[in-house]
């Protein structure tokens, strides 16, 4: 499309963009979820909400830069970014660069637990984990679930595709972990997209943000999250 054509059609394009953005905003998605929308059942039905405080959201970022240079919390939205040349989050580890929240104070070892959040991954971000279920420190396997983004595709680790087009839109993510059954189920926008058995561990906790992986990473990796909630229920 030429420049003049873009100028002529801009009001219509802008109006369409505003409508689309309003329909895909976290607020609109929450309303749809509460009404049982999204094309599927509400995955939080039957669960009890866990009370979270601001202190439960522990930010981990490269140890040699101020938090404000890799993390922002504004108007209820947490924005995370990291560069492939960044340092680890402390001097005792050799892990890849990350800027993440570790949800602390709510580690669990039994029952059924659920992470819910409204996420946004901008185009260009690749080779990064945006959410994970971490095992207790020192476990043989560090995680039982990591959700990676590669070129716009959300994957279970480097394996099965969960959502083929994750870029530049708000999406509702629900991850349900049944400890006794050793299963995890992933929902996108209220629809079940993936389930698998996992290797059990002693205890677990949730993380989200950006954590660089070992292939196909971009120079800068970013994700945004709002309305992060934890739910649980007993057997």
């Amino acid at each position: 499309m030429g420049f003049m054509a873009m100028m002529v059609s801009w009001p219509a394009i802008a109006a369409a963009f505003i409508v689309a953005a309003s329909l895909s905003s976290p607020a609109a998605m929450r309303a749809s979820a509460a009404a049982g929308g999204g094309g599927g059942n509400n995955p939080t039905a039957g669960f009890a909400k866990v009370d979270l405080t601001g202190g439960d959201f522990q930010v981990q970022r490269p140890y040699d830069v101020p938090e404000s240079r890799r993390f922002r919390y504004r108007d209820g939205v947490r924005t995370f970014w990291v560069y492939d040349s960044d340092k680890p989050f402390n001097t005792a580890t050799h892990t890849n660069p990350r800027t993440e929240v570790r949800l602390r104070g709510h580690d669990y070892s039994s029952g059924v637990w659920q992470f819910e959040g409204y996420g946004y991954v901008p185009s260009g971000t690749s080779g990064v984990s945006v959410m994970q279920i971490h095992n207790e420190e020192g476990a043989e396997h560090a995680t039982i679930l990591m959700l990676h983004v590669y070129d716009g595709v959300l994957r279970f680790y480097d394996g099965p595709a969960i959502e083929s087009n994750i870029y530049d839109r708000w999406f509702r993510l629900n991850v349900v972990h049944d400890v006794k059954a050793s299963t995890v189920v992933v929902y996108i926008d209220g629809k079940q997209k993936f389930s698998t058995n996992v290797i059990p561990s002693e205890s677990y906790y949730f993380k989200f943000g950006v954590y660089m992986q070992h292939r196909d990473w971009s120079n800068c990796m970013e994700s945004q999250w709002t309305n992060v909630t934890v739910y649980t229920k007993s057997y």
Side-chain angles (χ1 to χ4, degrees), residues 73-86:
Y73 184 37
R74 183 181 300 165
D75 298 329
V77 177
R78 291 177 168 87
T79 301
F80 306 80
W81 64 99
V82 73
Y83 294 94
D84 60 355
S85 59
D86 276 339

Side-chain angles (χ1 to χ4, degrees), residues 29-44:
M29 294 175 70
R30 288 195 302 273
S32 177
N41 294 325
N42 186 351
T44 65

Side-chain angles (χ1 to χ4, degrees), residues 126-128 148-153 155 157-158 167 213 215-216:
S126 187
V128 66
H148 292 181
V149 173
Y150 295 104
D151 297 323
V153 180
R155 296 185 178 275
Y157 293 95
D158 289 356
Y167 279 158
Q213 295 306 299
R215 68 172 180 90
D216 299 336

Side-chain angles (χ1 to χ4, degrees), residues 107-110 134-137 139 179 199-204:
D107 295 16
Y108 61 94
S109 57
S110 63
H134 207 286
N135 294 337
E136 78 278 3
E137 302 302 328
V179 175
I199 299 174
S201 191
E202 293 297 320
S203 65
Y204 313 87

Side-chain angles (χ1 to χ4, degrees), residues 40 71 82 109 113 123 130 151 164 175 180 186 195 217 221:
F71 172 77
V82 73
S109 57
W113 287 72
S123 58
V130 295
D151 297 323
S164 61
V175 178
K180 184 176 181 180
V186 180
S195 64
W217 62 79
M221 292 145 275

Side-chain angles (χ1 to χ4, degrees), residues 112-169:
V112 184
W113 287 72
Q114 180 170 177
F115 171 95
E116 179 181 69
Y118 295 80
Y120 184 97
V121 180
S123 58
T125 288
S126 187
V128 66
S129 170
V130 295
M131 186 268 167
Q132 54 181 306
I133 301 178
H134 207 286
N135 294 337
E136 78 278 3
E137 302 302 328
E140 182 177 355
H141 302 280
T143 62
I144 60 166
L145 172 135
M146 296 183 81
L147 298 181
H148 292 181
V149 173
Y150 295 104
D151 297 323
V153 180
L154 185 71
R155 296 185 178 275
F156 177 69
Y157 293 95
D158 289 356
I162 295 174
E163 184 72 4
S164 61
N165 183 18
I166 209 71
Y167 279 158
D168 298 331
R169 67 181 182 91

